[in-house]
Amino acid sequence: MLTLHGFSSSNYYNIVKHCLLHKGVPFDEHLVYPGMPELVALSPAGKVPALTTASGTTLSESSVLIEYIEEAYPDKPLLPKDPEQRAQVRQVMKMAELYLELPARRLLPAVLGNVPVSDAVKKEVRLTLDKGTASLGQLARFKPWVCGDELSLADIYLRYVLAIPKLVGPSQLQWDVLPAVPGLAEWDARMAEDAVSKQVDADQQANMKEFMAYVGKAMGGAKQEDN
Ligand SMILES: N[C@@H](CCC(=O)N[C@@H](CS)C(=O)NCC(=O)O)C(=O)O
């Protein structure tokens, strides 16, 4: 049996969880938050998620985990057979991570912990996000899925990557990611209708209060150490 390590409010955790649920691969969930020493033993960079395979190897980095799952559990494939089409799926995933998730993540402390962020940082983030939405506008087909008529890893990855720009955009940048790309809002609503998305979202909601309490405690501790 596989074990997925992390917590249900994590968008990266949910990418991997969605793939496992979509494919019907049985797995256990082990609740662990960033900053807990046991996480570093599982994930060298201390990041959520990590995955322990059926033979006991533990791996980390969400994109590595979903590629592993795709190769080890090929039923209900989430990558096309054609190498060029596979590369196109990976291209969307990479661009979504680099130009949408990671820049938006820089504004998370402002939203989660009220930590002030300078206008210069906001401007830099917004420029990168504009690159991300322009790239997605060029690459995404939404017919009806991101890369065409088959649901792929790009759909699952993009859904959870978008959680961060969706969260920080309105309050920090007075900007909304969904209308920035034609067809994105409709695709996002279509994804949300999926039974797996509903289960992942429900688990996320159920974990949110505990996660926020953990973040509050961790930040309070950090502030005390600063003093
Ligand atoms: N590149 C990593 C990023 C994972 C990541 O940033 N996870 C967050 C939770 S959503 C985390 O563990 N943050 C704690 C930290 O950065 O120390 C992946 O794709 O798995």
Side-chain angles (χ1 to χ4, degrees):
M1 174 86 91
L2 305 183
T3 302
L4 181 60
H5 310 275
F7 58 101
S8 296
S9 300
S10 157
N11 60 330
Y12 284 111
Y13 180 87
N14 286 338
I15 290 169
V16 181
K17 183 169 169 176
H18 192 122
C19 288
L20 291 167
L21 289 170
H22 172 85
K23 285 174 173 281
V25 178
F27 64 102
D28 286 328
E29 291 184 78
H30 166 222
L31 181 68
V32 60
Y33 291 112
M36 290 183 167
E38 67 181 286
L39 184 60
V40 182
L42 298 163
S43 164
K47 304 263 182 189
V48 162
L51 181 78
T52 303
T53 66
S55 62
T57 299
T58 300
L59 301 163
S60 58
E61 289 298 321
S62 58
S63 52
V64 172
L65 303 184
I66 60 178
E67 296 259 3
Y68 163 74
I69 293 164
E70 183 63 15
E71 288 183 7
Y73 303 92
D75 285 354
K76 293 191 82 178
L78 286 165
L79 277 174
K81 285 201 172 65
D82 175 70
E84 279 184 13
Q85 288 175 10
R86 291 168 90 92
Q88 285 173 326
V89 168
R90 293 179 173 124
Q91 183 182 17
V92 170
M93 289 163 55
K94 178 68 91 180
M95 294 189 123
E97 180 184 19
L98 292 179
Y99 310 129
L100 293 171
E101 214 277 356
L102 289 173
R105 186 167 279 271
R106 293 178 69 189
L107 304 179
L108 260 189
V111 175
L112 297 183
N114 248 333
V115 178
V117 177
S118 71
D119 286 346
V121 167
K122 286 186 184 177
K123 197 172 163 201
E124 210 179 293
V125 166
R126 180 60 203 273
L127 280 173
T128 312
L129 289 170
D130 286 345
K131 198 180 282 184
T133 53
S135 307
L136 195 57
Q138 269 192 41
L139 297 175
R141 300 204 195 118
F142 301 129
K143 283 186 167 180
W145 308 114
V146 172
C147 291
D149 55 7
E150 300 284 347
L151 184 88
S152 73
L153 290 180
D155 293 281
I156 295 171
Y157 202 83
L158 182 62
R159 175 167 203 261
Y160 297 100
V161 152
L162 282 180
I164 308 300
K166 273 188 196 171
L167 178 68
V168 305
S171 67
Q172 301 305 309
L173 302 171
Q174 292 70 54
W175 170 83
D176 190 354
V177 66
L178 292 182
V181 181
L184 185 62
E186 294 79 3
W187 166 86
D188 191 55
R190 196 175 306 125
M191 284 299 290
E193 282 308 307
D194 183 87
V196 171
S197 299
K198 286 184 178 169
Q199 181 176 342
V200 172
D201 291 353
D203 290 351
Q204 180 191 17
Q205 283 307 313
N207 172 247
M208 193 52 90
K209 204 171 153 197
E210 183 183 299
F211 169 62
M212 290 308 292
Y214 180 80
V215 169
K217 234 167 103 184
M219 287 189 130
K223 269 187 200 145
Q224 272 179 11
E225 273 170 32
D226 287 350
N227 291 336

